[in-house]
Amino acid sequence: MRAPVDGVITAVDVDEGQLIAEEDEVARMQAGEEEVIVITEVPGVVRELYAQPGQQVRSGDVLAAIDEA
């Protein structure tokens, strides 16, 4: 899963090992004046998290690895 825009991670809403469904909220970002909610496009298990609150990310940066179910 990749960051959709440049911004700052404000919250990570999943844990490693967690089972997630398609369109579950994974993280929230602040991009300028706008809050962006990052959702997953595939169901699966969160294998590894690469983002944490307060981290600056660029569009396309990997936020999490998800093993598709």
Side-chain angles (χ1 to χ4, degrees):
M1 159 165 289
R2 297 183 181 272
V5 295
D6 295 352
V8 177
I9 302 295
T10 56
V12 176
D13 301 315
V14 295
D15 296 312
E16 290 181 0
Q18 182 176 335
L19 182 63
I20 56 175
E22 185 175 353
E23 298 187 6
D24 274 358
E25 184 176 314
V26 174
R28 285 174 270 151
M29 301 175 58
Q30 191 69 37
E33 298 290 321
E34 186 176 335
E35 181 178 53
V36 177
I37 297 173
V38 182
I39 60 171
T40 183
E41 297 175 358
V42 296
V45 176
V46 179
R47 182 170 38 94
E48 194 166 353
L49 292 171
Y50 299 109
Q52 53 190 309
Q55 181 178 349
Q56 178 77 40
V57 296
R58 299 195 60 133
S59 178
D61 284 355
V62 177
L63 303 179
I66 298 172
D67 288 334
E68 291 184 47

